[in-house]
Every structure is written in structure tokens, then in C-alpha cells.
Amino acid sequence: MRGEHAGYACGAALGFLGDLIAADPRRGHPVAAFGRAAGAVERRLWRDHRGYGAAHAVLCAGGAAAGAALLQRAVRGSAPSLLRNGAQVALTAATVWAVLGGTSLGREARAIGGALTVGDPDLARERLPHLCGRDPQALDGPQMARAVVESVAENTSDAVVGALVWGALGGVPGLVAFRAVNTLDAMVGHKSPRYRRFGWASARLDDLAGWPGSRLTAALTVLAGPDRRGALRAWRADGGAHPSPNAGPVEASFAGALGVRLGGTLAYGGRVEHRPVLNGGAPPVGVPDIERAVRLSRRVSVMALAATVAGRLAAGALRHGTGNGRKPR
């Protein structure tokens, strides 16, 4: 078991490095393939009913996790031992690379920030849908900057930290299951007329899956941010006011760490939302804050990798010591 945990640690580090170097390909990404498959299942199952939506969520997310578990078992059953260990590391590295999106997140945020810096809001509006689902035509420059910072904060949890947490807990199946749930929420979890009932199960499942990663993200933001006290204060004061139980702590801690004000009115999915203000005493987001948010996201991501790998190794060592009849020191 110790070799398995060490193999996961090595594979996770290699997959994280792979995301830094290669990021997401424009075509042929495994997550995009899952999205197409989930869309095909939706076309057959869709009814304006929660039960059919629950079946869709279980079939898609459960099927992806089961496939990953079977693949992991097949790799574990290969021989000889040296080949098996190498195959486990390679499988973990490939899966971590596939499910992480931190580098693409930073790339898109910087592209929008660059367009705003040179005074090209039309280009920024063209790029914004690559990052979030808000209506870009309804936003001016400062509002787009705010949308980018909020998206960087939320997706640091969704696209990086949450996946690493579930990878540490469940290995390759945990990684795949988390990304599948998160993808389903993005596809059907919003409150449009079509998905208000059908997407309910996917949205609630995503809330549950995202809970540990969002709290770890907020905690690491407090540690990594330029204003630790501000991050902790905003998290405590405003994290629970957000309509999303997971985005709230993350966006509030980012707002406090960066010393900016987030939240307020936004246009999303054809509707207008009036969200609570986070860190209300601070100035509004400026374009330079986009780069600061991306750098903070990167620091939090690296710390999350270290924390989750260390936790996995510690759990393996504890289990090994208990299994041998020795009390861990």
C-alpha cells in the first residue's frame, strides 16, 4: 500500500507539471469527450422532472467513475511489479493532467486582462465566454474585470483544488468522478427553464462534491494571499452570503486577500442576479487585479498539491503502521 500511495504522489506531481507545461488541448480533450457523451444521454433522457435528471447524473458520473475504477484495477493487475508501478504512475499523471484546468484558467484570464489593458473591450467580450457564462454584452470594462477575478477564484476550487482533494481521497476514480460531476453541473445545473428540475440533482451533487475543495481553497487563500487578515475577515463575514455554498467562501477569501470588492449585480444565463457584495469596504476590481488573482490562484494550486499529496502519504503511512500491529508514533 505504501508503494501505491507513493505512486499516486508521483503521478499527481507529474500530472500537475503536465498541466503547467501543456495545459488543455484545443481539440480532443477527454473532458470534452465526456461532455459530448453526457449531452447524448441527456437528449434521450430529458424530461422536465427531477427523477430523470437524477438518473442522468448517476448514469453519467457513475459510469465515468466506474470506468476509471475498472481501468485502475486492470493496471494494478498487470505484471511484473516494476511495470505495474510505472503504469499506475502514468495513469495517475494522465488523469490529473486531464482533470486539472489551472493553466487554461490563467491563460484565459490573462487574455481578457490584456485586451482590457490595451483598451479593446470588444476583444475582451469575445474572450469572456471562454471563462464564464455571463452575458459579455451587458458588461463594461470594470464589470468584466470583476467577472474575471470572480471566475478565477471559483475555478481555482473547481478546476484544481477540488480535483486534487478527491484524487487524494479516491485515486483515479475520485479524480474522474469529481470532474464528471463538475462538468454535469456546468452543463445542466443552472436555473434555466429547461434545467430547473432536470439539473437539480447535478447541481446538488456538485455542491456536495465541491464542499471540501472550496474550504481548502479558502484556507489556502488566507495563507497564500497578500492580506491574510483581510482574507480571513472577508471569508468569515461574507462567505455565507453568496447563493452558492462553495463559491461564497472562495470568492470572499479572494476578495479579502486581494483587497477588492466582489459580488453585486450580474447577467447570467439570460437572467439578472443581484448577489451580495463581498468585502464591501474595499475598492472595486481594476484590470491590474486580474494578474494578481491569477498569481494568487497559482500559489493556492501549488499549496493544494502539496497538502493533498502529503495527506495521502500520511494516510498510507498510518494505515501501514496500524496494519502491522504497531502504534503510529
Side-chain angles (χ1 to χ4, degrees), residues 75-185:
V75 168
R76 285 177 178 172
S78 62
S81 167
L82 182 61
L83 177 62
R84 179 172 65 248
N85 292 338
Q88 289 178 356
V89 170
L91 176 61
T92 301
T95 307
V96 169
W97 167 82
V99 304
L100 293 189
T103 299
S104 295
L105 173 65
R107 180 180 61 199
E108 295 298 337
R110 282 173 167 146
I112 298 168
L116 293 174
T117 298
V118 301
D120 192 346
D122 290 335
L123 178 58
R125 291 189 183 96
E126 181 182 334
R127 300 289 307 215
L128 189 63
H130 294 276
L131 191 64
C132 65
R134 301 183 192 182
D135 179 9
Q137 303 306 318
L139 304 178
D140 59 17
Q143 290 171 328
M144 281 190 281
R146 192 195 93 196
V148 171
V149 172
E150 289 174 353
S151 295
V152 167
E154 183 176 3
N155 284 294
T156 299
S157 177
D158 288 344
V160 183
V161 181
L164 292 173
V165 167
W166 282 101
L169 292 173
V172 169
L175 289 163
V176 171
F178 177 81
R179 178 53 59 223
V181 168
N182 192 248
T183 302
L184 289 175
D185 179 62

Side-chain angles (χ1 to χ4, degrees), residues 6-328:
Y8 174 84
C10 183
L14 289 173
F16 189 93
L17 182 62
D19 179 64
L20 290 178
I21 295 172
D24 295 333
R26 299 294 184 184
R27 296 181 179 178
H29 196 283
V31 175
F34 170 80
R36 289 191 294 271
V41 175
E42 177 195 340
R43 287 190 291 274
R44 290 183 175 273
L45 280 183
W46 187 90
R47 303 289 189 281
D48 190 17
H49 190 279
R50 285 185 176 184
Y52 282 91
H56 175 257
V58 170
L59 183 61
C60 294
L70 289 174
L71 181 59
Q72 181 171 268
R73 177 175 295 184
V75 168
R76 285 177 178 172
S78 62
S81 167
L82 182 61
L83 177 62
R84 179 172 65 248
N85 292 338
Q88 289 178 356
V89 170
L91 176 61
T92 301
T95 307
V96 169
W97 167 82
V99 304
L100 293 189
T103 299
S104 295
L105 173 65
R107 180 180 61 199
E108 295 298 337
R110 282 173 167 146
I112 298 168
L116 293 174
T117 298
V118 301
D120 192 346
D122 290 335
L123 178 58
R125 291 189 183 96
E126 181 182 334
R127 300 289 307 215
L128 189 63
H130 294 276
L131 191 64
C132 65
R134 301 183 192 182
D135 179 9
Q137 303 306 318
L139 304 178
D140 59 17
Q143 290 171 328
M144 281 190 281
R146 192 195 93 196
V148 171
V149 172
E150 289 174 353
S151 295
V152 167
E154 183 176 3
N155 284 294
T156 299
S157 177
D158 288 344
V160 183
V161 181
L164 292 173
V165 167
W166 282 101
L169 292 173
V172 169
L175 289 163
V176 171
F178 177 81
R179 178 53 59 223
V181 168
N182 192 248
T183 302
L184 289 175
D185 179 62
M187 294 176 65
V188 304
H190 41 88
K191 296 180 180 179
S192 66
R194 177 178 174 85
Y195 295 124
R196 189 175 301 276
R197 294 184 180 87
F198 185 83
W200 179 86
S202 291
R204 298 291 77 75
L205 189 59
D206 184 68
D207 287 342
L208 290 172
W211 195 95
S214 65
R215 272 63 187 177
L216 179 59
T217 303
L220 294 178
T221 300
V222 171
L223 296 176
D227 186 349
R228 295 181 178 181
R229 291 183 179 179
L232 183 59
R233 181 174 60 251
W235 178 11
R236 288 176 171 175
D238 301 326
H242 197 284
S244 167
N246 295 328
V250 174
E251 291 186 18
S253 61
F254 260 70
L258 297 172
V260 298
R261 182 174 71 243
L262 297 177
T265 302
L266 57 86
Y268 180 83
R271 67 187 187 279
V272 176
E273 292 187 8
H274 301 282
R275 294 183 177 178
V277 173
L278 309 177
N279 200 33
V285 175
V287 175
D289 294 316
I290 293 176
E291 179 62 29
R292 297 175 62 226
V294 171
R295 291 179 180 178
L296 177 57
S297 174
R298 178 61 55 83
R299 291 195 296 271
V300 168
S301 299
V302 171
M303 292 172 68
L305 174 67
T308 53
V309 164
R312 173 96 176 192
L313 291 174
L318 182 64
R319 190 177 305 169
H320 178 76
T322 303
N324 285 342
R326 299 193 302 268
K327 293 183 178 179

